[in-house]
Amino acid sequence: MRLHRLDLTAFGPYPRHEAIDFDALGQDGLFLLHGDTGAGKTTVLDAVAFALFGAVPGARGEVKRLRCDYASPDAVTEVALEFSVQGHRLRLVRSPEYERPKRNGNGVTTQRARASLTWLDHGLGGHAPDGLTRIDEVARTIQRLLGMTAEQFFQVVLLPQGEFARFLRSDTVEREQLLERLFGTERFADVERWFRDARQASWHVLHAHRQRIRELVARVAQAAGQEPPTDDGEVEHTPGPSWLAAVRARLTDDAELAAKNDQQARETKESADAELLRVRELAERVRRVRTASTTLAELAGKAGQHRVWSEELAAARRAGPVVAAHHTAKQAAAEAVAARQAEERATRYVDAMGTVVIDVAALLGVPSAEPDAFEQQARALRDEAGGLQPLLADAEALRIDEARLVTLSGHQRRLSDTVGQLAQCQAAMPERLVAARIALVEANRAASRLDGLRARTAEVKSLHGDALRLPEAERVARVARGAASAAVDRHQRVREALLDVRQRRLNGMAAELAGDLRDGQPCAVCGSAEHPAPAEPVGSVGEAQERGAADIEQAAARERERTAAAIAEADLRLTALEERVAGRTAAELAAALLTAAAERDAASAAADLLPSRAEAVAALEGDIELLRTRSAAAELERAQLIADRKSLADQIAGRAKRLTSARGSFPDVLTRRTHLLDLAAALDNCAGTRSTRRRADARRAQWDASLADAARKAGFSSPAEAIDAVRDDRAMTKLADQLTEVQNRVAAAQAVLAEPELVGLRADVEIDLAAAEAQATAAAGEAEAAALMLGAAERRLREVDDLAQRLQQAWRELAPVEAEYESLAGLADVINGRGQNARKMSLRAYVLAARLAEVAVAATRRLQQMSQGRYSFVHSDAAGPRGTRGGLGLDVLDDYSGQVRPAKTLSGGESFLASLSLALGLADVVAAETGGALLDTLFIDEGFGMLDADALDQVMDTLDELRAGGRVVGLVSHVDELRQRIPVRLRVKKARGGSTLELIAG
């Protein structure tokens, strides 16, 4: 994979659009990315990572704050990357999720993340797709083209030396976590997990088989009616076939004995049942004779009662015709009473109506008056009512006109009130309209000032924040100056100490060379094989002491540089704050902020009322016009209403005069006409009720004579006697049934006594039935108990036989299950680093150890070159201390001493060389392992400041080999010497308004 171009917009510390041409930067195969501390060098690498994977490496990726704080609100945060991979040239554009100000109104809104991938030459498979726009599709395509995950890319393309320095010094667990992420050994972890799960599942199967055997043994013992045999929980100690045979033999003997007892009990029960049947038959014949004799004696004693029943039934049957005549006479009497009562009610009703129209006293006072007289007077009243019919229409019209006159009067009053109200509203409208127009002008003025007030408030708020940060910035500057002064003093002291050590070593160099002389071997200085007077060491200093003093001096120099950079940064921040604050205090700016915010809020509130106030002015103008129109309409309607009311009043007076004479003493004509018709109807009713009463009296006399004649013919002295003899159908049926029952009982008793088997049998014979029943019941109970015992014995025997077969089958199935579990458990222990695994390494750790060995081999080539053959990596797969897992040990072999020592003992510069070698070696191995694309572009981030000149030369030689192989290497550092060595540079310039990029070539 090779990078061609990177475009940044509002990303990290870069507020505007910045472009990086990697083709121009990589012409020599090596370029330098440098700038001040905090300027944004590492952000360039973050942009490459974000474009490819939508994430940035390390702790920076956890913050998820990628938008530039200095960017304008309208700027879109975006990263675009052009690169080549697997023969394709692609353009990848991503935007993170961030918050931006709303385009309409106040507040912020969330801008969603997006991504797009476009093929600039041709698409996959020879097609030219339009590109991908879904984030998940873009992520899958990038990972497929690169052949590695984001974690692997961060390690093999962006080489952060600090992490590999920690890797050198970390323990087995930390190394295992990093290597797992890089080499993707999850599948081996899945294998380990599969074996653990399979062993657990096999154990559950074995446990289930053993538990099933225990349950079957317990069920056999329970079915046999004995306690289950005790064991220590292991199946091997459970009773076997001999125990089953003994149980079955005992149950067979019990079944045979129960069969013999059952046969004897059944024979005894049959004999007792036969005797009980004979005694019951004899007792039944005696009972029948005794019952028949008792019945005949009882019926003979009630003969008198039976005769009374017979005479009562005969009299009731003779009284039947008299009852029919009695009912008819009774109904005629009731009708006569009802007719007389109706006549009296009709007469009282007519009398209650009074003599307003006619005098009816003559008709009512003569009981013998004919009905025709009433009917004649009723016709005269109807004729008079008919004469009043034409005046009813005039009366109804008069009522309607009077109601309408009342309605018109009320309407006239309401119209007068409405006219007055409209006049009052019209008088108040001009003043309200003027006030509304003034309020509208004020809202317009506030809206025009609002933007300026908001900008002013934001500026004062920013200045207030700067004033609050100023004391802390002054304190940081003071602390930085103190630290820098202390660092300068210390550096001077250790530098003088280094010079002293070097001088002392030079002074004692002759003694140091003399220490290497051997008899017969030539001197390294003069070449002589004779050494007559070798120099004696007198307080000389060795190479190790000089190297230690040099390391201390380099560390002090780095601390001096760091504190100097901290002073510059603190002074720059302090100067910027002082320029912005311009001598104003935080309290003054806080008061100014409150004033500005109050003015802004007041203007905002007034501006928010602008639409409503404009609507209010328009509404008032419309209301004034509407009131004017409604007032004119109301005046016109009131004048018309007054004229209509006067005309209607004149019409009502003329019609009322005509109706007054026609109603007489009644309230109105309709009431007088209704009274005449009601009185005529009442007279007709009197005529009808008088005729009905005369007919009912005649019919009553006729039916009384017929009732007396019917009683005499039926043999009764009077109708009352006949009525007393009457019985209803139910009573007569009961008497007849009682007489029939007596006759039937006498005949049945006589028939029983005449049966052949009962002739000669005395009713007083005593039979002992209870003794026979008791003997039969006892025999039946013994037989039932014997049958139950036989059934239980046979059932136990069958159940034990069935369970025995299942138990024997379970024993046969247990052996292969135990064998399978033992085999799987041993293999799972080995796979997971236990049991017979002598190295105590799991499968995953074993694979990672092999990968680490490959990394050590690849890294050793780099380290030997950069350390001039002194150091090599040594991989160890031995187990750790106190039985901890091994396989991931990584030490260094010091060729000078020939000893293997921990990587923790390396100096700062040596640790940098080792971690850089490890990073490059790991990049080669991971790329080969994943089968990913060729990595033509690498970035190495920081760490060069701790190298001396010779070590830096060795590192540069290694990097020259990388670029000679076609790779482009970018170094991220602020070391001044690298600027002299690398002509092509990308400089990051820091300013108060954000950072910018500058390409420097030559």
Side-chain angles (χ1 to χ4, degrees):
M1 181 193 74
R2 181 178 292 273
L3 305 181
H4 299 295
R5 180 181 175 88
L6 177 66
D7 291 275
L8 312 177
T9 304
F11 187 84
Y14 302 99
R16 290 170 293 278
H17 174 262
E18 302 289 342
I20 303 175
D21 188 350
F22 286 108
D23 292 335
L25 282 173
Q27 289 180 356
D28 293 337
L30 184 66
F31 66 91
L32 176 66
L33 177 60
H34 67 97
D36 296 333
T37 301
K41 300 185 296 296
T42 307
T43 304
V44 175
L45 310 185
D46 292 344
V48 174
F50 176 75
L52 290 171
F53 297 99
V56 297
R60 301 184 302 278
E62 300 175 359
V63 180
K64 296 182 179 180
R65 190 168 180 267
L66 303 178
R67 179 172 172 80
C68 180
D69 293 335
Y70 308 106
S72 64
D74 297 333
V76 177
T77 300
E78 183 178 86
V79 177
L81 177 66
E82 289 187 19
F83 63 100
S84 296
V85 60
Q86 296 188 7
H88 301 288
R89 182 155 179 160
L90 303 96
R91 178 177 173 82
L92 181 57
V93 181
R94 283 188 190 270
S95 290
E97 181 180 289
Y98 61 91
E99 291 185 348
R100 61 168 178 81
K102 293 182 178 179
R103 294 186 176 90
N104 298 319
N106 300 324
V108 296
T109 184
T110 300
Q111 183 72 32
R112 293 188 177 182
R114 57 185 177 85
S116 66
L117 179 63
T118 307
W119 278 260
L120 300 179
D121 46 7
H122 55 82
L124 296 177
H127 300 287
D130 296 334
L132 305 176
T133 56
R134 287 182 51 178
I135 295 179
D136 56 343
E137 293 179 350
V138 171
R140 289 194 297 268
T141 303
I142 290 297
Q143 184 169 345
R144 184 173 68 252
L145 291 172
L146 297 181
M148 61 181 70
T149 64
E151 184 67 31
Q152 293 170 335
F153 180 85
F154 296 157
Q155 296 293 337
V156 303
V157 178
L158 311 177
L159 305 180
Q161 265 58 62
E163 292 189 14
F164 282 97
R166 288 194 299 273
F167 180 81
L168 286 173
R169 297 177 175 86
S170 61
D171 56 14
T172 300
V173 176
E174 294 176 348
R175 287 178 183 166
E176 182 177 0
Q177 293 174 352
L178 175 61
L179 293 173
E180 280 183 349
R181 293 197 301 269
L182 294 179
F183 292 106
T185 57
E186 294 83 1
R187 60 187 184 278
F188 299 104
D190 294 338
V191 172
E192 296 175 8
R193 189 181 306 108
W194 184 89
F195 273 98
R196 290 195 301 270
D197 295 343
R199 176 179 59 186
Q200 187 70 14
S202 178
W203 182 86
H204 284 302
V205 173
L206 176 61
H207 179 73
H209 274 74
R210 290 176 175 173
Q211 184 63 30
R212 179 166 170 260
I213 289 175
R214 292 189 182 94
E215 293 175 356
L216 287 174
V217 169
R219 291 180 62 185
V220 168
Q222 181 181 8
Q226 63 185 37
E227 292 294 326
T230 59
D231 60 73
D232 59 357
E234 295 295 332
V235 177
E236 292 78 26
H237 301 288
T238 304
S242 59
W243 175 75
L244 285 177
V247 171
R248 191 180 183 287
R250 182 179 64 80
L251 293 179
T252 301
D253 294 342
D254 293 345
E256 292 176 353
L257 179 60
K260 292 180 181 179
N261 295 335
D262 178 68
Q263 180 64 27
Q264 294 176 357
R266 281 191 282 109
E267 292 176 355
T268 302
K269 178 179 179 302
E270 291 175 357
S271 176
D273 289 344
E275 177 62 18
L276 176 61
L277 179 61
R278 186 190 67 78
V279 173
R280 282 179 175 172
E281 291 178 350
L282 178 61
E284 177 62 19
R285 291 198 298 273
V286 171
R287 183 193 66 75
R288 293 178 64 193
V289 170
R290 186 179 297 140
T291 301
S293 301
T294 302
T295 299
L296 290 176
E298 179 184 355
L299 294 176
K302 296 180 179 180
Q305 179 65 38
H306 298 160
R307 285 193 297 273
V308 172
W309 289 349
S310 178
E311 293 174 356
E312 183 179 358
L313 179 60
R317 289 172 177 171
R318 287 188 288 108
V322 179
V323 171
H326 173 73
H327 285 312
T328 304
K330 185 176 180 181
Q331 182 177 2
E335 292 176 353
V337 172
R340 182 173 297 278
Q341 292 174 350
E343 181 183 9
E344 291 176 353
R345 286 195 299 273
T347 302
R348 286 196 300 272
Y349 179 73
V350 171
D351 185 48
M353 294 184 68
T355 57
V356 177
V357 179
I358 61 171
D359 185 7
V360 296
L363 294 175
L364 297 177
V366 182
S368 60
E370 294 298 331
D372 293 344
F374 291 95
E375 293 174 354
Q376 182 178 3
Q377 186 61 47
R379 284 195 295 273
L381 293 175
R382 289 192 183 91
D383 291 341
E384 184 178 354
L388 297 176
Q389 178 65 33
L391 296 178
L392 293 179
D394 289 344
E396 179 64 19
L398 178 61
R399 185 188 63 78
I400 293 174
D401 289 344
E402 289 175 343
R404 185 181 171 209
L405 182 62
V406 173
T407 302
L408 291 177
S409 299
H411 194 187
Q412 181 181 347
R413 288 193 300 272
R414 287 193 295 274
L415 276 176
S416 298
D417 295 340
T418 301
V419 170
Q421 293 174 359
L422 291 175
Q424 293 178 359
C425 291
Q426 283 180 305
M429 278 297 178
E431 182 178 355
R432 293 176 57 191
L433 180 59
V434 171
R437 286 174 176 171
I438 293 173
L440 177 59
V441 171
E442 293 176 352
N444 276 317
R445 185 181 299 111
S448 63
R449 297 175 56 241
L450 183 58
D451 291 338
L453 291 174
R454 286 175 177 168
R456 172 60 181 166
T457 303
E459 181 181 1
V460 174
K461 183 177 181 180
S462 177
L463 291 174
H464 178 251
D466 292 339
L468 293 176
R469 289 190 292 272
L470 186 58
E472 177 62 19
E474 293 173 346
R475 187 193 65 79
V476 170
R478 288 193 302 272
V479 172
R481 292 188 188 95
S485 177
V488 169
D489 294 342
R490 185 174 182 274
H491 180 245
Q492 292 296 335
R493 290 194 302 272
V494 298
R495 184 174 181 82
E496 291 174 359
L498 174 61
L499 294 176
D500 181 64
V501 169
R502 284 179 176 173
Q503 186 62 42
R504 290 167 58 194
R505 187 184 179 192
L506 290 174
N507 295 336
M509 187 62 70
E512 183 177 345
L513 293 174
D516 295 333
L517 293 178
R518 299 292 183 270
D519 292 338
Q521 295 182 358
C523 176
V525 178
C526 64
S528 174
E530 297 180 359
H531 317 296
E536 295 294 333
V538 180
S540 61
V541 176
E543 181 183 1
Q545 290 175 297
E546 181 184 3
R547 187 184 304 110
D551 291 342
I552 294 174
E553 189 275 335
Q554 290 178 3
R558 287 195 298 271
E559 179 63 19
R560 179 177 180 177
E561 293 177 359
R562 187 191 65 77
T563 55
I567 288 177
E569 183 178 357
D571 288 342
L572 180 61
R573 185 179 299 109
L574 178 60
T575 301
L577 291 176
E578 288 175 346
E579 290 177 356
R580 285 179 53 81
V581 173
R584 288 169 289 185
T585 65
E588 294 173 349
L589 291 172
L593 177 60
L594 290 176
T595 303
E599 293 178 358
R600 178 204 58 194
D601 294 341
S604 178
D608 291 341
L609 297 176
L610 181 59
S612 61
R613 290 182 175 179
E615 293 176 359
V617 170
L620 285 174
E621 292 174 348
D623 291 344
I624 290 173
E625 183 61 27
L626 180 61
L627 286 173
R628 187 181 299 111
T629 303
R630 289 179 58 191
S631 179
E635 287 288 354
L636 180 61
E637 185 179 0
R638 184 175 63 171
Q640 182 63 38
L641 190 61
I642 292 173
D644 293 342
R645 183 172 176 274
K646 183 177 182 306
S647 175
L648 183 61
D650 295 340
Q651 183 178 348
I652 290 173
R655 184 173 285 135
K657 184 177 180 181
R658 292 193 302 271
L659 293 174
T660 300
S661 59
R663 65 182 176 82
S665 60
F666 290 89
D668 52 44
V669 175
L670 179 60
T671 303
R672 184 167 183 254
R673 181 176 181 276
T674 301
H675 180 77
L676 293 174
L677 292 176
D678 291 343
L679 183 57
L683 291 175
D684 287 338
N685 189 34
C686 283
T689 55
R690 181 160 292 189
S691 297
T692 300
R693 190 260 303 167
R694 291 179 178 180
R695 290 193 298 272
D697 289 344
R699 188 167 176 270
R700 177 181 181 181
Q702 179 183 356
W703 279 107
D704 286 343
S706 297
L707 176 62
D709 184 60
R712 188 173 55 256
K713 290 179 179 180
F716 295 100
S717 59
S718 64
E721 182 181 356
I723 295 304
D724 291 339
V726 173
R727 299 291 185 273
D728 56 18
D729 293 341
R730 183 176 179 182
M732 293 178 66
T733 301
K734 181 179 179 181
L735 290 173
D737 291 344
Q738 289 174 344
L739 292 174
T740 301
E741 181 183 1
V742 170
Q743 294 173 358
N744 292 338
R745 289 179 66 188
V746 170
Q750 291 174 350
V752 168
L753 294 177
E755 292 180 2
E757 62 181 0
L758 302 181
V759 174
L761 187 63
R762 297 201 314 268
D764 57 351
V765 176
E766 297 293 335
I767 305 299
D768 193 1
L769 180 61
E773 290 178 345
Q775 184 176 358
T777 300
E782 294 176 357
E784 182 177 2
L788 291 175
M789 293 182 63
L790 176 60
E794 293 176 346
R795 185 168 58 255
R796 283 196 299 270
L797 183 59
R798 289 193 302 270
E799 187 174 356
V800 167
D801 288 341
D802 179 65
L803 292 173
Q805 293 178 2
R806 295 165 61 184
L807 179 59
Q808 292 169 353
Q809 179 64 25
W811 279 333
R812 289 191 294 271
E813 294 174 353
L814 177 63
V817 174
E818 288 180 330
E820 179 181 1
Y821 172 73
E822 294 297 333
S823 175
L824 189 58
L827 185 57
D829 286 341
V830 172
I831 292 295
N832 286 275
R834 293 186 294 273
Q836 299 181 7
N837 191 329
R839 296 181 181 272
K840 302 301 180 183
M841 293 173 60
S842 65
L843 176 62
R844 178 180 49 177
Y846 180 80
V847 173
L848 292 177
R851 295 295 182 268
L852 184 58
E854 296 177 7
V855 172
V857 172
T860 295
R861 293 195 298 268
R862 313 286 188 187
L863 182 58
Q864 286 181 343
Q865 179 180 357
M866 286 187 278
S867 65
Q868 296 181 342
R870 178 177 180 180
Y871 293 111
S872 301
F873 284 111
V874 178
H875 168 249
S876 174
D877 59 358
R882 294 182 295 278
T884 58
R885 289 189 299 176
L888 300 180
L890 189 64
D891 299 321
V892 292
L893 172 62
D894 189 346
D895 188 63
Y896 286 4
S897 64
Q899 300 293 323
V900 176
R901 56 193 178 99
K904 299 178 180 179
T905 62
L906 295 176
S907 66
E910 292 170 342
S911 296
F912 171 75
L913 297 178
S915 61
L916 178 59
S917 302
L918 186 63
L920 294 173
L922 184 62
D924 296 337
V925 174
V926 170
E929 170 68 18
T930 59
L934 179 63
L935 305 176
D936 293 331
T937 305
L938 296 177
F939 293 93
I940 302 177
D941 188 4
E942 289 297 349
F944 297 94
M946 63 182 67
L947 300 178
D948 57 23
D950 293 337
L952 184 59
D953 288 338
Q954 298 299 325
V955 171
M956 295 303 295
D957 291 342
T958 302
L959 297 180
D960 286 338
E961 288 186 2
L962 291 177
R963 66 176 179 172
R967 292 186 175 182
V968 176
V969 180
L971 304 183
V972 183
S973 177
H974 58 272
V975 177
D976 293 337
E977 188 174 352
L978 290 177
R979 302 181 191 178
Q980 307 300 324
R981 290 173 175 261
I982 303 176
V984 180
R985 305 192 302 275
L986 183 64
R987 180 186 177 189
V988 182
K989 295 188 294 183
K990 180 172 64 174
R992 292 182 60 186
S995 300
T996 57
L997 296 173
E998 179 185 7
L999 175 62
I1000 302 174

